[in-house]
Short mmCIF file of all heavy atoms in Angstrom, two decimals:
data_model
loop_
_atom_site.label_atom_id
_atom_site.label_comp_id
_atom_site.label_asym_id
_atom_site.label_seq_id
_atom_site.Cartn_x
_atom_site.Cartn_y
_atom_site.Cartn_z
N LEU A 1097 5.63 14.96 -22.84
CA LEU A 1097 5.63 13.57 -23.51
C LEU A 1097 7.11 13.40 -23.93
O LEU A 1097 7.47 13.86 -25.14
CB LEU A 1097 4.59 13.49 -24.55
CG LEU A 1097 3.27 13.84 -24.24
CD1 LEU A 1097 2.32 13.72 -25.32
CD2 LEU A 1097 2.76 13.09 -23.02
N SER A 1099 10.31 11.79 -25.46
CA SER A 1099 10.69 10.60 -26.13
C SER A 1099 12.22 10.43 -26.18
O SER A 1099 12.70 9.42 -26.52
CB SER A 1099 10.21 10.76 -27.66
OG SER A 1099 10.93 11.94 -28.23
N ILE A 1107 11.83 20.90 -25.20
CA ILE A 1107 10.65 21.38 -24.53
C ILE A 1107 10.81 21.09 -23.02
O ILE A 1107 10.48 22.01 -22.18
CB ILE A 1107 9.42 20.55 -25.00
CG1 ILE A 1107 9.05 21.03 -26.46
CG2 ILE A 1107 8.09 20.73 -24.14
CD1 ILE A 1107 7.97 20.18 -27.14
N HIS A 1110 13.05 23.71 -21.26
CA HIS A 1110 12.27 25.00 -20.88
C HIS A 1110 11.14 24.89 -19.88
O HIS A 1110 10.84 25.78 -19.12
CB HIS A 1110 11.76 25.59 -22.23
CG HIS A 1110 12.89 26.28 -23.04
ND1 HIS A 1110 13.27 27.59 -22.82
CD2 HIS A 1110 13.49 25.80 -24.06
CE1 HIS A 1110 14.22 27.88 -23.66
NE2 HIS A 1110 14.50 26.86 -24.40
N HIS A 1116 10.18 25.39 -12.10
CA HIS A 1116 10.84 25.83 -10.88
C HIS A 1116 10.51 27.20 -10.47
O HIS A 1116 10.79 27.63 -9.24
CB HIS A 1116 12.36 25.68 -11.10
CG HIS A 1116 12.82 24.17 -11.13
ND1 HIS A 1116 12.50 23.31 -10.22
CD2 HIS A 1116 13.51 23.55 -12.11
CE1 HIS A 1116 13.00 22.14 -10.54
NE2 HIS A 1116 13.67 22.34 -11.75
N PHE A 1118 7.54 28.22 -10.09
CA PHE A 1118 6.17 28.22 -9.54
C PHE A 1118 6.14 27.05 -8.47
O PHE A 1118 5.03 26.86 -7.84
CB PHE A 1118 5.16 27.98 -10.51
CG PHE A 1118 4.92 29.16 -11.49
CD1 PHE A 1118 5.57 29.20 -12.74
CD2 PHE A 1118 4.25 30.27 -11.10
CE1 PHE A 1118 5.52 30.22 -13.56
CE2 PHE A 1118 4.03 31.42 -11.97
CZ PHE A 1118 4.63 31.30 -13.18
N GLU A 1123 10.51 19.84 -5.50
CA GLU A 1123 9.52 19.24 -6.43
C GLU A 1123 10.24 19.13 -7.83
O GLU A 1123 10.62 20.09 -8.34
CB GLU A 1123 8.23 20.01 -6.56
CG GLU A 1123 7.42 19.88 -5.32
CD GLU A 1123 6.03 20.60 -5.58
OE1 GLU A 1123 5.24 20.10 -6.46
OE2 GLU A 1123 5.76 21.60 -4.82
N SER A 1127 7.77 14.18 -16.42
CA SER A 1127 7.75 13.74 -17.72
C SER A 1127 7.11 12.33 -17.80
O SER A 1127 7.05 11.62 -16.79
CB SER A 1127 9.19 13.60 -18.35
OG SER A 1127 10.04 12.64 -17.62
N LYS A 1138 13.44 -1.37 -27.27
CA LYS A 1138 14.39 -1.11 -26.18
C LYS A 1138 15.26 -0.02 -26.48
O LYS A 1138 15.58 0.90 -25.62
CB LYS A 1138 15.08 -2.43 -25.84
CG LYS A 1138 15.99 -2.29 -24.58
CD LYS A 1138 16.72 -3.47 -24.25
CE LYS A 1138 17.44 -3.31 -22.94
NZ LYS A 1138 18.42 -2.23 -22.80
N PHE A 1141 13.63 3.18 -25.82
CA PHE A 1141 13.32 3.36 -24.22
C PHE A 1141 14.70 3.84 -23.58
O PHE A 1141 14.72 4.74 -22.82
CB PHE A 1141 13.02 1.91 -23.70
CG PHE A 1141 12.97 2.05 -22.12
CD1 PHE A 1141 11.94 2.65 -21.40
CD2 PHE A 1141 13.97 1.40 -21.45
CE1 PHE A 1141 11.86 2.68 -20.05
CE2 PHE A 1141 13.93 1.48 -20.12
CZ PHE A 1141 12.90 2.08 -19.27
N ASP A 1166 -9.54 -5.35 -29.35
CA ASP A 1166 -10.44 -4.68 -28.42
C ASP A 1166 -10.05 -3.11 -28.20
O ASP A 1166 -10.84 -2.24 -28.15
CB ASP A 1166 -10.49 -5.43 -27.04
CG ASP A 1166 -11.29 -6.64 -27.08
OD1 ASP A 1166 -11.99 -6.81 -28.01
OD2 ASP A 1166 -11.02 -7.58 -26.21
N GLY A 1210 8.12 18.39 -39.11
CA GLY A 1210 7.72 19.10 -40.23
C GLY A 1210 8.40 20.51 -40.37
O GLY A 1210 8.51 21.06 -41.46
N ALA A 1223 19.39 16.35 -53.62
CA ALA A 1223 19.23 16.05 -54.95
C ALA A 1223 19.68 17.34 -55.76
O ALA A 1223 20.11 17.20 -56.92
CB ALA A 1223 17.81 15.58 -55.26
N LEU A 1226 23.28 17.52 -56.23
CA LEU A 1226 23.76 16.54 -57.24
C LEU A 1226 23.54 17.16 -58.64
O LEU A 1226 24.29 17.02 -59.50
CB LEU A 1226 23.12 15.30 -57.04
CG LEU A 1226 23.44 14.37 -55.85
CD1 LEU A 1226 22.63 13.13 -55.74
CD2 LEU A 1226 25.09 14.08 -55.80
N MET A 1234 21.39 13.19 -68.41
CA MET A 1234 21.83 11.89 -68.83
C MET A 1234 22.73 11.24 -67.95
O MET A 1234 22.78 10.12 -67.62
CB MET A 1234 22.25 12.02 -70.33
CG MET A 1234 22.66 10.65 -70.96
SD MET A 1234 23.15 10.83 -72.57
CE MET A 1234 24.63 11.84 -72.38
N LEU A 1246 24.44 -2.18 -59.12
CA LEU A 1246 25.50 -2.65 -58.17
C LEU A 1246 24.86 -3.01 -56.78
O LEU A 1246 25.24 -4.08 -56.13
CB LEU A 1246 26.58 -1.65 -57.93
CG LEU A 1246 27.47 -1.40 -59.12
CD1 LEU A 1246 28.50 -0.19 -58.88
CD2 LEU A 1246 28.25 -2.60 -59.60
N ASP A 1249 18.22 -0.31 -54.97
CA ASP A 1249 17.45 0.52 -53.96
C ASP A 1249 18.30 1.20 -52.95
O ASP A 1249 18.02 1.37 -51.77
CB ASP A 1249 16.38 -0.16 -53.32
CG ASP A 1249 15.31 -0.67 -54.18
OD1 ASP A 1249 14.96 0.03 -55.19
OD2 ASP A 1249 14.73 -1.76 -54.00
N ASN A 1266 4.42 14.69 -61.41
CA ASN A 1266 3.79 13.59 -62.02
C ASN A 1266 4.63 12.31 -61.71
O ASN A 1266 4.10 11.23 -61.80
CB ASN A 1266 3.56 13.70 -63.56
CG ASN A 1266 2.56 14.76 -63.90
OD1 ASN A 1266 1.52 14.91 -63.28
ND2 ASN A 1266 2.92 15.56 -64.91
N PRO A 1271 9.28 13.76 -53.44
CA PRO A 1271 8.96 13.79 -51.92
C PRO A 1271 7.74 14.51 -51.63
O PRO A 1271 7.12 14.10 -50.61
CB PRO A 1271 10.21 14.63 -51.43
CG PRO A 1271 11.38 14.32 -52.32
CD PRO A 1271 10.73 14.21 -53.72
N GLU A 1291 -4.47 4.95 -62.40
CA GLU A 1291 -5.17 6.22 -62.61
C GLU A 1291 -5.61 6.80 -61.28
O GLU A 1291 -5.51 7.99 -61.02
CB GLU A 1291 -6.41 5.94 -63.53
CG GLU A 1291 -7.29 7.21 -63.71
CD GLU A 1291 -8.36 6.98 -64.66
OE1 GLU A 1291 -8.55 5.84 -65.13
OE2 GLU A 1291 -9.10 7.94 -64.91
N PRO A 1373 19.76 16.69 -39.28
CA PRO A 1373 18.34 17.12 -38.98
C PRO A 1373 18.24 17.78 -37.70
O PRO A 1373 18.86 17.59 -36.72
CB PRO A 1373 17.45 15.73 -38.99
CG PRO A 1373 18.58 14.73 -38.67
CD PRO A 1373 19.88 15.19 -39.25
N SER A 1396 14.97 5.22 -33.86
CA SER A 1396 13.54 5.16 -34.28
C SER A 1396 12.78 4.31 -33.27
O SER A 1396 13.34 3.42 -32.56
CB SER A 1396 13.46 4.57 -35.69
OG SER A 1396 13.94 3.26 -35.72
N PRO A 1407 1.69 -14.88 -38.92
CA PRO A 1407 1.14 -16.04 -38.20
C PRO A 1407 1.82 -16.17 -36.77
O PRO A 1407 2.98 -16.03 -36.57
CB PRO A 1407 1.69 -17.29 -39.00
CG PRO A 1407 1.64 -16.72 -40.36
CD PRO A 1407 2.18 -15.33 -40.24
N CYS A 1410 -0.29 -11.34 -32.39
CA CYS A 1410 -1.54 -10.94 -31.64
C CYS A 1410 -2.60 -10.39 -32.46
O CYS A 1410 -3.75 -10.40 -32.17
CB CYS A 1410 -1.12 -9.94 -30.55
SG CYS A 1410 -0.37 -8.31 -31.12
N PRO A 1425 -8.69 -6.72 -54.57
CA PRO A 1425 -8.58 -7.96 -55.34
C PRO A 1425 -8.23 -9.14 -54.34
O PRO A 1425 -7.31 -8.93 -53.55
CB PRO A 1425 -7.59 -7.75 -56.46
CG PRO A 1425 -7.50 -6.27 -56.55
CD PRO A 1425 -7.85 -5.76 -55.31
N TRP A 1438 2.29 -2.57 -45.02
CA TRP A 1438 1.39 -1.45 -44.39
C TRP A 1438 0.04 -1.39 -45.02
O TRP A 1438 -0.91 -0.98 -44.27
CB TRP A 1438 2.06 -0.09 -44.65
CG TRP A 1438 3.26 0.22 -43.77
CD1 TRP A 1438 4.52 0.40 -44.04
CD2 TRP A 1438 3.15 0.31 -42.35
NE1 TRP A 1438 5.27 0.60 -42.95
CE2 TRP A 1438 4.47 0.60 -41.91
CE3 TRP A 1438 2.18 0.24 -41.37
CZ2 TRP A 1438 4.80 0.75 -40.45
CZ3 TRP A 1438 2.35 0.38 -39.99
CH2 TRP A 1438 3.68 0.72 -39.57
N LEU A 1444 -6.78 -3.73 -42.28
CA LEU A 1444 -7.32 -4.28 -40.96
C LEU A 1444 -8.03 -3.07 -40.24
O LEU A 1444 -9.15 -3.30 -39.62
CB LEU A 1444 -6.16 -4.86 -40.06
CG LEU A 1444 -6.46 -5.23 -38.65
CD1 LEU A 1444 -7.63 -6.31 -38.60
CD2 LEU A 1444 -5.28 -5.68 -37.80
N PHE A 1446 -9.34 -0.41 -41.52
CA PHE A 1446 -10.51 -0.19 -42.18
C PHE A 1446 -11.71 -1.32 -42.00
O PHE A 1446 -12.90 -0.94 -41.75
CB PHE A 1446 -10.32 -0.15 -43.78
CG PHE A 1446 -11.54 0.00 -44.58
CD1 PHE A 1446 -12.23 1.24 -44.73
CD2 PHE A 1446 -12.18 -1.10 -45.16
CE1 PHE A 1446 -13.37 1.46 -45.52
CE2 PHE A 1446 -13.40 -0.88 -45.91
CZ PHE A 1446 -13.87 0.34 -46.06
#
Side-chain angles (χ1 to χ4, degrees):
L1097 309 184
S1099 68
I1107 290 173
H1110 282 280
H1116 290 307
F1118 295 93
E1123 287 188 65
S1127 62
K1138 187 179 186 305
F1141 171 76
D1166 287 340
L1226 292 177
M1234 181 178 64
L1246 297 173
D1249 296 325
N1266 290 317
E1291 181 181 1
S1396 61
C1410 57
W1438 283 114
L1444 174 61
F1446 175 81

